[in-house]
Amino acid sequence: MTLRPHDLDGIDMVILPPTRDLGDGFKVRRALPSAHRRMVGPFIFFDQMGPVAFRGGEGLDVRPHPHIGLATVTYLLDGEILHRDSVGSVQAIRPGEVNWMTAGSGIAHSERSPDELRAGGPSLYGLQTWVALPTAYEETAPSFSHHKAHEIPTIEAEGVTLTLIAGTSDGLASPVKTFSDMVYADIQLAAGARYRVKAEHIERCIYVIEGYVAVEGQTGGFDPHELVVLKPGAEIVLRADNGPARLMLAGGEPFPEKRNIVWNFVHSDPERIEQAKRDWREQRFAPVPDEHEFIPLPEEPQPVRYP
């Protein structure tokens, strides 16, 4: 995880996320947390999954694993994932749809390529983020919600298409239930189109999916897979140079309390994470129906120690 030097006004830092190969050509880029930035608003993990085309007969197989104190948000650009969890949800997610899973006091889930797609070698490309929950909701009851693409608000104007996955932005409000002030949007720019990143939320970042994005009025811009953290209150105009571009906008109000991260657990109380580790090791989490595997707790899961 490295920082890229820049001299652009309004930009706090540009993070270059490392790539991790999980096998079978499936790669993940993790932009948050980093050694340079732990969170942006409530966003504490930001992963790009793929793109990947699995071989025939293969696919994604993330066995059941636990979470506490956070919500996972899954948003696909290509492919399909079948989600199962310990509150009984069984839900396929496809591009443009939103899976929001609130872990709260504890949930387990699996993510797999559907059986009917494996023979042809399924493709997969998307983003999964973890949103930390405010202290008042860290122990809320676990739940799951799914929203079809047509339920997610979208605006189009002057070559800009903005789809608001969660939170509020640009006069839109997503129907996805959240627990704190936030924004999470998919922004597509036609060649030459411009989008102003507004100061509607205290902390904001953009993650470039594809294309080159220049900063209007300045020399420089951003390439694919760069996480760009804006300074609070700064507004910049992004322009799609050299063809169309696509980016994600994420952020919101920061929390006053530190969040501890160990393995798949996020919480303000480190002892609560120790309890979650014991509960998973001793199989006290509710099981995921129709699943007969699970990911064991690592021997010595280390806390993520970032400033």
Side-chain angles (χ1 to χ4, degrees):
M1 185 82 66
T2 59
L3 289 181
R4 176 169 70 78
H6 72 87
D7 57 1
L8 294 166
D9 294 337
I11 304 302
D12 186 26
M13 64 181 70
V14 180
I15 298 172
L16 305 178
T19 301
R20 182 183 177 192
D21 193 330
L22 302 183
D24 297 320
F26 184 57
K27 297 179 180 180
V28 171
R29 297 177 188 268
R30 177 155 295 167
L32 289 175
S34 84
H36 310 286
R37 184 78 184 211
R38 189 181 188 89
M39 299 172 67
V40 177
F43 288 84
I44 198 163
F45 266 59
F46 195 109
D47 280 5
Q48 175 190 318
M49 308 178 291
V52 62
F54 292 100
R55 293 190 291 268
E58 298 180 347
L60 179 71
D61 279 303
V62 180
R63 295 167 291 158
H65 58 281
H67 294 287
I68 65 165
L70 57 85
T72 66
V73 189
T74 305
Y75 184 76
L76 296 185
L77 308 176
D78 181 42
E80 183 175 333
I81 294 176
L82 183 63
H83 164 98
R84 287 189 174 92
D85 64 42
S86 54
V87 298
S89 312
V90 179
Q91 178 64 58
I93 181 172
R94 301 175 180 90
E97 302 177 345
V98 179
N99 275 6
W100 177 288
M101 184 185 75
T102 301
S105 61
I107 199 169
H109 74 130
S110 65
E111 297 162 298
R112 300 182 185 270
S113 296
D115 290 342
E116 61 271 19
L117 299 181
R118 289 177 181 257
S123 59
L124 184 61
Y125 189 19
L127 299 130
Q128 188 169 88
T129 58
W130 294 3
V131 176
L133 299 178
T135 54
Y137 296 101
E138 285 181 299
E139 296 298 323
T140 195
S143 63
F144 174 83
S145 65
H146 173 81
H147 293 266
K148 297 291 188 182
H150 71 267
E151 300 175 62
I152 306 302
T154 298
I155 53 173
E156 298 183 30
E158 300 178 343
V160 178
T161 302
L162 184 148
T163 300
L164 187 63
I165 299 166
T168 59
S169 185
D170 294 84
L172 300 178
S174 170
V176 176
K177 180 185 176 182
T178 62
F179 294 84
S180 64
D181 171 77
M182 64 177 289
V183 57
Y184 189 31
D186 175 3
I187 301 172
Q188 299 183 61
L189 305 177
R194 295 168 172 82
Y195 174 74
R196 178 179 293 276
V197 183
K198 305 164 193 67
E200 295 183 64
H201 303 273
I202 297 174
E203 296 186 349
R204 295 148 299 145
C205 66
I206 63 168
Y207 182 79
V208 182
I209 298 293
E210 56 189 46
Y212 177 78
V213 181
V215 180
E216 188 86 355
Q218 302 188 54
T219 301
F222 315 111
D223 291 309
H225 319 308
E226 293 186 336
L227 183 81
V228 182
V229 182
L230 278 67
K231 294 178 180 177
E235 293 196 356
I236 62 171
V237 176
L238 302 175
R239 185 182 69 247
D241 278 6
N242 307 321
R246 189 172 192 175
L247 56 97
M248 308 301 292
L249 170 65
E253 183 176 1
F255 294 153
E257 316 88 0
K258 173 187 173 182
R259 288 300 183 273
N260 303 281
I261 315 170
V262 179
W263 195 41
N264 297 317
F265 305 130
V266 171
H267 209 278
S268 61
D269 181 0
E271 177 50 40
R272 180 64 181 87
I273 291 180
E274 293 303 310
Q275 180 63 57
K277 288 161 59 178
R278 292 190 293 269
D279 289 344
W280 185 249
R281 188 182 293 116
E282 297 167 17
Q283 300 187 37
R284 289 198 290 261
F285 275 74
V288 179
D290 299 319
E291 286 280 9
H292 307 287
E293 301 177 291
F294 66 94
I295 299 177
L297 182 77
E299 282 296 320
E300 291 294 333
Q302 296 299 310
V304 179
R305 299 190 184 279
Y306 295 140

